[in-house]
Amino acid sequence: MGKGGTKFCGDAVGVRLKSVGYTLKDAKKDMESFLQTGHHPEVERLKTKQANAVVLLPEASTARPHVYMDLTISGKPAGRLVIELFEDIAPGPAALFRNRCAGASADSFQGSHIYKLVREQAAWGGHRPKRTKAGVHIRSHPSLRHSEKGAVSLARSGADFLWAFNRALHLDETHAVVGRVTEASLPLLDRLNGSATQPDDSPTSRVAVARCGLTDAAGSVELAGPGPEGAPADETPEAARTRLAREAEAARLGLREALATGLDRKRKAGEEDGRPKGVAPGRRGMMESLLGGSDSDSAASDSA
């Protein structure tokens, strides 16, 4: 086939590629860039597109555990925020968040406050420790992202929590989504989103968590007891194994958090007394082996 035929075939390919928005000229240009830099622009564009793909949160279910946070603004009652927890998808992190709301953790969220608020993005709350806790690392579930308004997440270090005011996928890098604010509580979230802030992004009026605990999906009933609800009478052996695995993972994360808190306090006391900083490698390794602290274990549990 002569040059004309070759050109015709090339043009035909180009027309077909244009139908999907990527021409033969684009492909040639990207290949030249790849040969020069080692990075193919189209591959990078596809990676970015995949990373920014909208992954909706699971459909709401009244069967999931729920917690409440009674908020105050400048010391005055502002309303109740009800949060649905995805313990069926990310059992460990979600159960840890539940325990911190129910008072079953050394670092309860009760009495904490919002220390950072960025409009149309998120509000960060908790006790804001000065350093990352040793030995605590929370893995996120790939299907749970900050893709919607109302997403609730826990810092990978276990240090704080946040409420998303809008889609904010970049927060996936630092926080693991554990639940969502219920539809009925979104007006309170909108009110917080409109709060005035200082130059350092802290709210002008102090927003605090006056009380928190377990509740029902409507947020009208306060449930007793910090732990799981227990085994249903008609629970099957398979359901029992799943429930026990979730409780074990939550207990492991809770114990790691408690030990990390103790180590932080001991280190701080050592710094004040002039003793050497840090935790002995042998002791840290012992804690990791006793608690099964590998990231792969957490990821496996969350994807179960």
Side-chain angles (χ1 to χ4, degrees):
M1 184 180 292
K3 292 183 179 180
T6 303
K7 183 177 186 302
F8 174 79
C9 291
D11 289 345
V13 171
V15 169
R16 288 196 295 270
L17 289 174
K18 284 180 182 179
S19 65
V20 294
Y22 190 64
T23 67
L24 194 61
K25 290 183 179 180
D26 293 332
K28 182 178 179 180
K29 182 178 179 181
D30 287 346
M31 181 55 68
E32 292 175 351
S33 177
F34 172 73
L35 294 175
Q36 293 177 358
T37 65
H39 297 283
H40 196 287
E42 179 63 12
V43 173
E44 298 300 323
R45 283 193 290 269
L46 290 175
K47 286 183 178 179
T48 302
K49 182 178 179 180
Q50 183 178 10
N52 293 329
V54 176
V55 181
L56 299 180
L57 294 177
E59 291 187 8
S61 172
T62 57
R64 292 192 178 103
H66 289 71
V67 296
Y68 71 88
M69 289 183 168
D70 286 339
L71 307 183
T72 60
I73 299 179
S74 298
K76 298 179 181 180
R80 170 167 291 188
L81 208 63
V82 179
I83 299 168
E84 173 190 356
L85 298 177
F86 302 137
E87 283 200 25
D88 54 330
I89 302 174
L96 180 59
F97 188 93
R98 170 170 54 80
N99 289 341
R100 294 184 70 175
C101 287
S105 170
D107 285 340
S108 171
F109 289 140
Q110 184 163 310
S112 64
H113 68 280
I114 300 302
Y115 62 84
K116 179 180 179 181
L117 192 152
V118 179
R119 291 186 182 183
E120 301 303 329
Q121 189 175 133
W124 287 256
H127 295 288
R128 198 179 187 181
K130 295 181 180 179
R131 56 169 64 87
T132 299
K133 295 181 179 181
V136 174
H137 183 75
I138 296 172
R139 293 293 298 270
S140 60
H141 194 279
S143 68
L144 299 177
R145 305 189 64 188
H146 297 82
S147 56
E148 297 179 27
K149 169 185 176 180
V152 178
S153 58
L154 193 60
R156 293 182 182 275
S157 63
D160 58 11
F161 64 85
L162 68 78
W163 311 314
F165 295 139
N166 215 327
R167 180 186 178 200
L169 298 181
H170 64 283
L171 296 176
D172 296 340
E173 299 177 4
T174 58
H175 288 69
V177 174
V178 297
R180 67 148 67 82
V181 174
T182 61
E183 187 74 22
S185 296
L186 289 179
L188 177 55
L189 199 67
D190 291 336
R191 179 183 174 187
L192 294 174
N193 186 29
S195 300
T197 58
Q198 303 282 359
D200 62 354
D201 290 331
S202 62
T204 302
S205 301
R206 182 181 176 89
V207 180
V209 180
R211 294 176 65 248
C212 54
L214 308 181
T215 187
D216 61 350
S220 58
V221 178
E222 295 182 14
L223 304 178
E229 293 77 10
D234 57 348
E235 185 176 44
T236 64
E238 182 179 356
R241 285 193 296 271
T242 301
R243 177 178 58 81
L244 291 173
R246 291 175 181 173
E247 293 177 6
E249 174 66 7
R252 185 181 71 84
L253 285 173
L255 183 55
R256 284 172 63 83
E257 182 188 29
L259 286 174
T261 300
L263 290 173
D264 283 345
R265 291 174 179 172
K266 184 175 181 181
R267 177 166 47 216
K268 184 177 180 180
E271 292 173 358
E272 293 175 351
D273 295 343
R275 294 195 297 269
K277 302 178 181 178
V279 180
R283 293 184 180 180
R284 184 184 294 267
M286 183 186 300
M287 183 180 75
E288 294 290 339
S289 62
L290 286 173
L291 299 177
S294 67
D295 291 346
S296 59
D297 291 344
S298 298
S301 173
D302 287 353
S303 61

